[in-house]
Amino acid sequence: MSPTETPTRTPKRVTVSPLRYPGGKGLLYSRLRSIIRDNRLTSRTYVEPYAGGAGAALGLLVSGQVEEIAINDLDSAVYAFWRAVVDEPDEFSQLVRTVDLTVEEWEKQREVYDTAPRDNLLQLGFATFYLNRTNRSGVLNGGPIGGKDQTGNYKIDARFNRDTLLERIRLIGLYASRITVTNHDGRDVIKRYADDANAFIYADPPYFEKAGSLYMNAFDGAGHQSLADGLNLAKSAEWVLTYDNVPEVHSLYAERRRVLFSLNYSAHRVMKALEVMVFSDSLRIPADIRVAGDELLKAGVEV
Ligand SMILES: C[S@@+](CC[C@H](N)C(=O)[O-])C[C@H]1O[C@@H](n2cnc3c(N)ncnc32)[C@H](O)[C@@H]1O
């Protein structure tokens, strides 16, 4: 089976990530693709300092839009997952093929997730994946789909289609030599690549208002400020940043070009679903992204 694509000539989304991610940016795939094409960035290293499910990064890699990706996450469990899939895809696949999908197994994996040595990448990475696929909404600290008594409409295996997941892991294994996985603070990753003319950074940090308890949030006001300092001072790398549309973002990046966007545009939900994309100075903003942003402004959205 090929990666799941929408049946159009220019897919909005190419789903390769085995992780479900609250707020996942797989849907940003088509916008990033047009930025990469318009700016001829294909041969650069595409860097996600806040990778999470890395939905956009993997979609861009397997569809040939970029040649190499660097994915980073400070959460040691998310990092363990990526290292395990990239470095040990066969062992990981064997676990996916054979693991029980029961509440009893869920309890075991939960225990591993909480207590496994952080350097046992296969064990911790698999437990992270198991919980992500069997928990409600993929939230790692949540409970199993269907509840512990399995009386809900959907059961614990509802999001664990072994064949689909095995195919995604196989694909990642094929591309392993082009994927670098690290476990640093995102700001250090930005520092590392900021002066690298061969890098294109897409930063999707924890948001100001939406972060909540969905995933690890190692950010406070100073964190947002120091991220802005790093990006605003980047000399050579091109970069794009996405955030929630709040006044703080507009003041941190007041000197940069900013465009509004909405991942699931619908007239009555638009006020809620709004986000902002910030661009490094020499990046050309594709017309479709600019026009869509202007339309949101015309629709009366405040910035
Ligand atoms: C908004 S999510 C990224 C979502 C991702 N773009 C996707 O499509 O799945 C933010 C991610 O940043 C990670 N994170 C939080 N604080 C971090 C930090 N200081 N440095 C690096 N990663 C961090 C979280 O673990 C989480 O996975």
Side-chain angles (χ1 to χ4, degrees), residues 15-29:
T15 306
V16 188
S17 177
L19 290 185
R20 301 158 67 208
Y21 229 76
K25 286 298 187 301
L27 282 168
L28 214 62
Y29 165 82

PDB file of all heavy atoms in Angstrom, residues 15-29:
ATOM      1  N   THR A  15       0.168  11.223   4.428  1.00  0.00           N
ATOM      2  CA  THR A  15       0.270  10.756   5.806  1.00  0.00           C
ATOM      3  C   THR A  15       1.261   9.609   5.941  1.00  0.00           C
ATOM      4  O   THR A  15       1.010   8.506   5.464  1.00  0.00           O
ATOM      5  CB  THR A  15      -1.112  10.310   6.324  1.00  0.00           C
ATOM      6  OG1 THR A  15      -2.012  11.390   6.133  1.00  0.00           O
ATOM      7  CG2 THR A  15      -1.054   9.958   7.800  1.00  0.00           C
ATOM      8  N   VAL A  16       2.366   9.878   6.557  1.00  0.00           N
ATOM      9  CA  VAL A  16       3.379   8.844   6.788  1.00  0.00           C
ATOM     10  C   VAL A  16       3.642   8.679   8.277  1.00  0.00           C
ATOM     11  O   VAL A  16       4.055   7.620   8.739  1.00  0.00           O
ATOM     12  CB  VAL A  16       4.718   9.208   6.100  1.00  0.00           C
ATOM     13  CG1 VAL A  16       5.685   8.050   6.186  1.00  0.00           C
ATOM     14  CG2 VAL A  16       4.497   9.582   4.650  1.00  0.00           C
ATOM     15  N   SER A  17       3.387   9.722   9.062  1.00  0.00           N
ATOM     16  CA  SER A  17       3.721   9.632  10.483  1.00  0.00           C
ATOM     17  C   SER A  17       2.894   8.545  11.162  1.00  0.00           C
ATOM     18  O   SER A  17       1.675   8.512  11.022  1.00  0.00           O
ATOM     19  CB  SER A  17       3.462  10.967  11.185  1.00  0.00           C
ATOM     20  OG  SER A  17       3.724  10.811  12.571  1.00  0.00           O
ATOM     21  N   PRO A  18       3.548   7.673  11.932  1.00  0.00           N
ATOM     22  CA  PRO A  18       2.789   6.666  12.679  1.00  0.00           C
ATOM     23  C   PRO A  18       2.146   7.253  13.932  1.00  0.00           C
ATOM     24  O   PRO A  18       1.348   6.588  14.580  1.00  0.00           O
ATOM     25  CB  PRO A  18       3.855   5.629  13.082  1.00  0.00           C
ATOM     26  CG  PRO A  18       5.076   5.965  12.273  1.00  0.00           C
ATOM     27  CD  PRO A  18       4.995   7.438  12.003  1.00  0.00           C
ATOM     28  N   LEU A  19       2.495   8.500  14.292  1.00  0.00           N
ATOM     29  CA  LEU A  19       1.938   9.091  15.512  1.00  0.00           C
ATOM     30  C   LEU A  19       0.704   9.922  15.212  1.00  0.00           C
ATOM     31  O   LEU A  19       0.632  10.601  14.196  1.00  0.00           O
ATOM     32  CB  LEU A  19       2.968  10.005  16.193  1.00  0.00           C
ATOM     33  CG  LEU A  19       4.190   9.365  16.849  1.00  0.00           C
ATOM     34  CD1 LEU A  19       5.006  10.448  17.565  1.00  0.00           C
ATOM     35  CD2 LEU A  19       3.798   8.278  17.839  1.00  0.00           C
ATOM     36  N   ARG A  20      -0.247   9.851  16.141  1.00  0.00           N
ATOM     37  CA  ARG A  20      -1.374  10.790  16.088  1.00  0.00           C
ATOM     38  C   ARG A  20      -0.919  11.971  16.919  1.00  0.00           C
ATOM     39  O   ARG A  20      -0.350  11.780  17.990  1.00  0.00           O
ATOM     40  CB  ARG A  20      -2.609  10.172  16.731  1.00  0.00           C
ATOM     41  CG  ARG A  20      -3.022   8.886  16.049  1.00  0.00           C
ATOM     42  CD  ARG A  20      -3.858   8.038  16.995  1.00  0.00           C
ATOM     43  NE  ARG A  20      -5.132   8.637  17.300  1.00  0.00           N
ATOM     44  CZ  ARG A  20      -5.790   8.428  18.447  1.00  0.00           C
ATOM     45  NH1 ARG A  20      -5.270   7.682  19.402  1.00  0.00           N
ATOM     46  NH2 ARG A  20      -6.965   8.985  18.647  1.00  0.00           N
ATOM     47  N   TYR A  21      -1.156  13.170  16.427  1.00  0.00           N
ATOM     48  CA  TYR A  21      -0.652  14.289  17.204  1.00  0.00           C
ATOM     49  C   TYR A  21      -1.675  15.388  17.341  1.00  0.00           C
ATOM     50  O   TYR A  21      -2.124  15.954  16.350  1.00  0.00           O
ATOM     51  CB  TYR A  21       0.629  14.842  16.580  1.00  0.00           C
ATOM     52  CG  TYR A  21       1.696  14.997  17.627  1.00  0.00           C
ATOM     53  CD1 TYR A  21       2.374  13.889  18.107  1.00  0.00           C
ATOM     54  CD2 TYR A  21       1.968  16.234  18.182  1.00  0.00           C
ATOM     55  CE1 TYR A  21       3.317  14.006  19.105  1.00  0.00           C
ATOM     56  CE2 TYR A  21       2.922  16.359  19.184  1.00  0.00           C
ATOM     57  CZ  TYR A  21       3.585  15.246  19.631  1.00  0.00           C
ATOM     58  OH  TYR A  21       4.521  15.367  20.627  1.00  0.00           O
ATOM     59  N   PRO A  22      -2.040  15.724  18.588  1.00  0.00           N
ATOM     60  CA  PRO A  22      -2.989  16.829  18.772  1.00  0.00           C
ATOM     61  C   PRO A  22      -2.377  18.086  18.184  1.00  0.00           C
ATOM     62  O   PRO A  22      -1.239  18.423  18.512  1.00  0.00           O
ATOM     63  CB  PRO A  22      -3.105  16.961  20.300  1.00  0.00           C
ATOM     64  CG  PRO A  22      -2.470  15.727  20.870  1.00  0.00           C
ATOM     65  CD  PRO A  22      -1.508  15.205  19.852  1.00  0.00           C
ATOM     66  N   GLY A  23      -3.079  18.731  17.279  1.00  0.00           N
ATOM     67  CA  GLY A  23      -2.544  19.946  16.642  1.00  0.00           C
ATOM     68  C   GLY A  23      -1.501  19.617  15.596  1.00  0.00           C
ATOM     69  O   GLY A  23      -0.723  20.472  15.199  1.00  0.00           O
ATOM     70  N   GLY A  24      -1.443  18.372  15.148  1.00  0.00           N
ATOM     71  CA  GLY A  24      -0.417  17.933  14.194  1.00  0.00           C
ATOM     72  C   GLY A  24      -0.441  18.765  12.918  1.00  0.00           C
ATOM     73  O   GLY A  24      -1.494  19.222  12.470  1.00  0.00           O
ATOM     74  N   LYS A  25       0.737  18.947  12.345  1.00  0.00           N
ATOM     75  CA  LYS A  25       0.840  19.848  11.211  1.00  0.00           C
ATOM     76  C   LYS A  25       0.947  19.112   9.877  1.00  0.00           C
ATOM     77  O   LYS A  25       1.395  19.685   8.896  1.00  0.00           O
ATOM     78  CB  LYS A  25       2.033  20.790  11.398  1.00  0.00           C
ATOM     79  CG  LYS A  25       1.765  21.852  12.437  1.00  0.00           C
ATOM     80  CD  LYS A  25       0.592  22.732  12.015  1.00  0.00           C
ATOM     81  CE  LYS A  25       0.389  23.917  12.943  1.00  0.00           C
ATOM     82  NZ  LYS A  25       0.142  23.548  14.333  1.00  0.00           N
ATOM     83  N   GLY A  26       0.508  17.851   9.825  1.00  0.00           N
ATOM     84  CA  GLY A  26       0.474  17.151   8.544  1.00  0.00           C
ATOM     85  C   GLY A  26      -0.300  17.969   7.512  1.00  0.00           C
ATOM     86  O   GLY A  26       0.038  18.013   6.332  1.00  0.00           O
ATOM     87  N   LEU A  27      -1.337  18.679   7.994  1.00  0.00           N
ATOM     88  CA  LEU A  27      -2.182  19.474   7.091  1.00  0.00           C
ATOM     89  C   LEU A  27      -1.469  20.683   6.502  1.00  0.00           C
ATOM     90  O   LEU A  27      -1.973  21.303   5.570  1.00  0.00           O
ATOM     91  CB  LEU A  27      -3.430  19.956   7.843  1.00  0.00           C
ATOM     92  CG  LEU A  27      -4.530  18.916   8.043  1.00  0.00           C
ATOM     93  CD1 LEU A  27      -5.564  19.429   9.039  1.00  0.00           C
ATOM     94  CD2 LEU A  27      -5.192  18.597   6.713  1.00  0.00           C
ATOM     95  N   LEU A  28      -0.314  21.007   7.047  1.00  0.00           N
ATOM     96  CA  LEU A  28       0.414  22.151   6.514  1.00  0.00           C
ATOM     97  C   LEU A  28       1.263  21.743   5.317  1.00  0.00           C
ATOM     98  O   LEU A  28       1.908  22.573   4.676  1.00  0.00           O
ATOM     99  CB  LEU A  28       1.323  22.707   7.617  1.00  0.00           C
ATOM    100  CG  LEU A  28       1.517  24.215   7.618  1.00  0.00           C
ATOM    101  CD1 LEU A  28       0.196  24.901   7.851  1.00  0.00           C
ATOM    102  CD2 LEU A  28       2.512  24.606   8.697  1.00  0.00           C
ATOM    103  N   TYR A  29       1.264  20.448   5.029  1.00  0.00           N
ATOM    104  CA  TYR A  29       2.099  19.889   3.970  1.00  0.00           C
ATOM    105  C   TYR A  29       2.036  20.699   2.670  1.00  0.00           C
ATOM    106  O   TYR A  29       3.063  21.089   2.117  1.00  0.00           O
ATOM    107  CB  TYR A  29       1.686  18.430   3.731  1.00  0.00           C
ATOM    108  CG  TYR A  29       2.211  17.854   2.456  1.00  0.00           C
ATOM    109  CD1 TYR A  29       3.506  17.363   2.380  1.00  0.00           C
ATOM    110  CD2 TYR A  29       1.412  17.818   1.304  1.00  0.00           C
ATOM    111  CE1 TYR A  29       3.999  16.849   1.195  1.00  0.00           C
ATOM    112  CE2 TYR A  29       1.902  17.300   0.123  1.00  0.00           C
ATOM    113  CZ  TYR A  29       3.188  16.828   0.068  1.00  0.00           C
ATOM    114  OH  TYR A  29       3.678  16.330  -1.099  1.00  0.00           O
TER     115      TYR A  29
END
